[in-house]
């Protein structure tokens, strides 16, 4: 029940309260969401986060007021820090972290993460390239008030949510002795429309074996003021928010309101999405489980089509704006002949088109399997069905069923135009994949995320999202992970590897598609989501 504050960390307090005139060592960039302490100022650390010599710093303000490092800074180091409660609560008391005395950490060589530890965003560098952007390394801090925390889960399901809930509750209890953990039920709206439940190590003991979320979830219903009123009324001072990009935007709004009201409340985001489209972090939890489960659907499709003449299997996988699940499931399977994702436009007719490729594969092998991300080809489907844009309660565009559409298109083409009999098998395992419990490696990953979030909040950090950056867990300013969404980059090697593996057409030679690539699809991907709910 003690709050371990790292406010006494020398480099941190120095950076926040003074800009030493003779210092030259580091660029310190406060997160843009951290409005209380000189958003657009450059902080250079007298006591470097990491010792280096001969450093030269050049900095310039970007249009949004953040500090950017200039081009020629070979030795520059930028820490994009997360806010800390002491930024707006100067007299926050701190206590020794009880972890040192805990059984688990008693013999660990380095129990606490040094305030000088940082995680580099870019890991592949050249000899002369700048040191670039860094995030504060996640983990327990040296230094502890009463904690009353809560956990909420928002957005779509994903394997592993229950493990994260369990590990937050157990982590708080086992490591810090916190026994006041409230479960907010049914997503953001649960803060003001439902009763809370008490979460104890006992009540969450085996929830990690189940899919879904023990706390239930919802889309929409984010009302910042009502949520923060509720946090205040219930005397909550740590909020753990598990959710995707939409949820993290909501978390940022809660953090800002908390800061505006000067409340001693730490807001910690744990990124969740099966689509793996959250920026900055290496990968989102549940993604590996999803890719593995997708293999079962692909196998089934392959078995089916292999057993008939001219069998065509179509497997639809999740991926609203990004085709990571489809791409990885295809690369893992080897039974897939063609993978279609939202980022890579395709066309059906003519030379180099999908129909031609399907016919080729049928002639060659007698069967074929297509893996399709649900967001692929949406504009074609919309054109055919003359459908209007509809949105869910969170403002996400509701997708049309590209799987059914493609199934029909291929059938029509071969039956009516090519006069060939084809045997179509369409499999849509999307919700089955999302609803399962996480596999072993995702379970471990979820544990690390939960424990890192707990250590961060216990140390007094706030307004952060936790996640692995180049395999090291870091505290990332929330705005960093919500400003863009990860998509499969067609110009990266991974997509080339997939094309090399399936030997499918890239579809990029067609003029029409080329035009779309330039103009439409990337706009679509970035504009599909409205920003407020
Ligand atoms: N821009 C935003 N500002 C505040 N809350 C948001 C925003 N976008 C989404 N939310 C809220 O976050 C929650 C989850 O968002 P959603 O997009 O459904 O899922 P995900 O978080 O997985 O992306 C919803 O309750 C929604 O109201
Ligand atoms: O039908 P639902 O539950 O709204 O969810 C469908 C969507 O959820 C997703 O799994 C993504 O969920 P998030 O928004 O939570 O990341 C998409 O792949 C899918 O389009
Ligand atoms: Mg989302």
């Amino acid at each position: 029940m003690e709050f371990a504050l790292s406010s006494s960390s020398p480099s941190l307090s120095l950076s926040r309260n003074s800009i030493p005139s003779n210092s030259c060592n580091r660029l310190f960039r406060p997160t843009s969401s951290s409005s209380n302490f000189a958003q657009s100022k450059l902080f250079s650390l007298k006591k470097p986060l990491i010792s280096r010599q001969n450093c030269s710093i050049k900095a310039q303000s970007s249009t949004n007021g953040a500090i950017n490092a200039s081009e020629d800074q070979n030795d520059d180091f930028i820490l994009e820090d997360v806010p800390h409660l002491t930024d707006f609560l100067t007299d926050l008391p701190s206590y020794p972290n009880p972890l040192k005395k805990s059984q688990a950490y008693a013999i660990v060589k380095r129990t606490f993460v040094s305030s000088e530890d940082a995680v580099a965003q870019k890991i592949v560098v050249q000899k002369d390239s700048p040191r670039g952007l860094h995030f504060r390394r996640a983990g327990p801090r040296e230094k502890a008030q009463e904690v009353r925390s809560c956990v909420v889960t928002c957005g779509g399901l994903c394997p592993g949510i229950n493990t994260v809930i369990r590990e937050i509750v157990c982590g708080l209890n086992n490591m810090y002795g916190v026994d006041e953990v409230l479960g907010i039920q049914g997503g953001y709206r649960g803060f003001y429309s439902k009763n809370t439940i008490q979460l104890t190590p006992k009540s969450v003991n085996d929830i990690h074996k189940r899919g879904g979320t023990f706390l239930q979830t919802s889309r929409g219903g984010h009302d910042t003021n009502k949520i923060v009123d509720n946090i205040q009324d219930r005397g909550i001072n740590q909020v753990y928010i598990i959710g995707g990009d939409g949820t993290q935007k909501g978390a940022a709004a809660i953090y800002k309101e908390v800061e505006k009201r000067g409340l001693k409340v730490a807001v910690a985001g744990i990124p969740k999405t099966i689509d793996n489209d959250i920026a900055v972090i290496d990968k989102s939890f549940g993604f590996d489980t999803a890719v593995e489960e997708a293999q079962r659907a692909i196998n089934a499709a392959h078995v089916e089509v292999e057993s008939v003449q001219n069998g065509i299997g179509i497997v639809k996988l999740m991926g609203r704006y990004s085709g990571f699940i489809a791409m990885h499931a295809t690369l893992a399977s080897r039974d897939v002949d063609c993978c279609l994702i939202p980022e890579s436009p395709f066309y059906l007719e003519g030379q180099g088109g999908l129909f031609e490729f399907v016919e080729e594969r049928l002639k060659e092998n007698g069967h074929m399997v297509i893996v399709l991300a649900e967001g692929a080809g949406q504009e074609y489907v919309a054109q055919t069905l003359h459908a209007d844009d509809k949105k869910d309660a969170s403002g996400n565009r509701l997708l049309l069923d590209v799987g059914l559409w493609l199934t029909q298109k291929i059938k029509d083409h071969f039956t009516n135009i090519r006069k060939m009999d084809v045997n179509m098998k369409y499999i849509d395992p999307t919700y089955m994949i999302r609803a399962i419990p996480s596999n072993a490696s995702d379970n471990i990953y979820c544990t690390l995320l939960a424990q890192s979030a707990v250590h961060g909040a216990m140390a007094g950090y706030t307004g952060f999202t936790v996640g692995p950056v180049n395999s090291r867990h870091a505290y990332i300013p929330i705005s960093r992970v919500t400003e863009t969404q990860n998509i499969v980059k067609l110009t990266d090697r991974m997509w080339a590897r997939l094309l090399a593996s399936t030997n499918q057409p890239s579809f990029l030679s067609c003029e029409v598609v080329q035009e779309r690539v330039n103009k439409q699809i990337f706009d679509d991907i970035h504009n599909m989501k409205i920003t407020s709910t």
Side-chain angles (χ1 to χ4, degrees), residues 478-530:
I478 300 180
S479 56
R480 268 269 153 192
V481 294
T482 55
E483 66 193 2
T484 54
Q485 270 176 298
N486 262 358
I487 55 168
V488 173
K489 290 199 188 82
L490 301 184
T491 47
D492 277 0
R493 289 205 180 89
M494 211 56 180
W495 185 245
R497 289 180 184 122
L498 178 136
L499 296 179
S501 167
T502 58
N503 214 13
Q504 72 188 62
S506 74
F507 300 108
L508 286 174
S509 53
C510 174
E511 240 176 72
V512 182
V513 169
Q514 199 58 270
E515 207 176 294
R516 264 196 53 219
V517 174
N518 296 338
K519 279 214 321 270
Q520 203 190 343
I521 193 155
F522 292 115
D523 290 351
D524 275 1
I525 285 169
H526 289 113
N527 295 332
M528 263 179 200
K529 214 172 145 112
I530 60 169

Side-chain angles (χ1 to χ4, degrees), residues 240-251:
Y240 296 95
I241 303 177
I242 308 169
D245 59 333
T247 307
Q248 301 302 320
K249 283 178 194 155

Side-chain angles (χ1 to χ4, degrees), residues 348 377-387 400 405 409:
L348 301 176
Q378 282 296 311
E379 50 298 329
Y380 298 139
V381 193
Q383 267 168 24
T384 318
L385 302 181
H386 306 292
L400 300 162
W405 172 84
K409 282 276 173 195

Side-chain angles (χ1 to χ4, degrees), residues 56-282:
S56 71
I57 289 174
K58 292 195 178 115
Q60 62 201 19
S61 290
S62 71
T63 44
N64 65 11
I67 300 298
N68 286 337
S70 70
E71 306 278 286
D72 58 344
Q73 42 169 342
N74 286 348
D75 271 326
D76 288 347
F77 172 102
I78 305 168
L79 173 72
E80 184 138 8
D81 208 1
V82 292
H84 190 276
L85 288 175
T86 49
D87 297 336
F88 55 96
L89 296 167
T90 44
D91 55 354
L92 204 68
S94 63
Y95 306 90
N97 189 329
L99 209 60
K100 189 80 195 160
K101 293 197 184 102
S102 83
Q103 259 195 58
Y105 279 83
I107 57 158
V108 170
K109 220 194 286 169
R110 227 180 118 206
T111 309
F112 303 114
V113 169
S114 156
S115 62
E116 307 204 346
D117 282 2
V119 177
Q121 185 178 33
K122 215 173 148 203
I123 200 159
V124 178
V125 292
Q126 291 76 43
K127 193 158 61 82
D128 296 327
S129 61
R131 297 197 58 205
L133 205 64
H134 293 68
F135 300 109
R136 196 169 278 283
R137 187 178 176 191
R141 264 54 186 185
E142 290 232 41
K143 297 231 157 195
Q145 67 203 246
E146 290 304 298
V147 172
R148 187 173 162 85
S149 51
C150 73
V151 188
V152 64
T153 58
C154 314
L157 292 183
C158 169
I161 300 178
N162 280 336
T163 313
V164 176
I165 300 172
R166 183 190 190 278
E167 295 307 319
I168 290 173
V169 177
C170 294
L172 279 167
N173 193 278
N174 299 344
M175 297 189 292
Y176 291 94
V178 176
D179 44 21
E180 284 256 45
V181 189
L182 298 178
I184 308 294
Q185 299 185 81
Y188 277 132
R189 59 166 60 90
F191 271 103
Y192 53 86
S193 66
K194 287 199 173 183
N195 287 328
T196 57
I197 52 169
Q198 195 74 33
L199 298 174
T200 62
K202 203 167 174 195
S203 70
V204 297
N205 185 42
D206 60 1
I207 62 170
H208 61 293
K209 295 177 186 162
R210 284 179 253 157
T213 160
F214 182 64
L215 292 173
Q216 298 195 309
T217 186
S218 67
R219 297 195 189 273
H222 183 279
D223 183 323
T224 312
N225 279 318
K226 280 195 192 169
I227 292 171
V228 178
D229 286 349
N230 216 270
I231 290 173
Q232 212 171 348
D233 292 348
R234 294 183 199 274
I236 292 168
N237 57 17
Q238 284 188 356
V239 187
Y240 296 95
I241 303 177
I242 308 169
D245 59 333
T247 307
Q248 301 302 320
K249 283 178 194 155
I254 294 171
Y255 157 68
K256 278 192 193 129
E257 184 59 26
V258 161
E259 188 199 38
K260 198 171 110 193
R261 298 190 193 181
L263 306 177
K264 195 192 72 186
V265 178
V267 180
I270 296 109
K272 167 245 49 137
T273 174
I274 201 163
D275 291 353
N276 195 33
D277 59 0
I278 297 186
V280 185
I281 63 169
D282 295 345

Side-chain angles (χ1 to χ4, degrees), residues 11 14-15 20-26 44-49:
S11 60
L14 182 71
S15 65
S21 56
N22 59 347
S23 64
C24 77
N25 299 59
R26 298 288 166 255
S44 56
L45 302 178
K46 196 172 190 174
K47 177 164 183 182
L49 269 149

Side-chain angles (χ1 to χ4, degrees), residues 154-158 219 243-247 272-278 317-322 325 374-375 392 394 396-399 430-431 434 485 529:
C154 314
L157 292 183
C158 169
R219 297 195 189 273
D245 59 333
T247 307
K272 167 245 49 137
T273 174
I274 201 163
D275 291 353
N276 195 33
D277 59 0
I278 297 186
L317 299 176
M318 276 186 172
R320 200 188 263 135
Y321 313 127
S322 67
I325 302 181
E374 61 178 343
D392 69 16
S394 294
N396 302 299
R397 201 174 98 182
L398 283 174
L399 299 179
T430 45
Y431 289 112
R434 216 174 61 162
Q485 270 176 298
K529 214 172 145 112

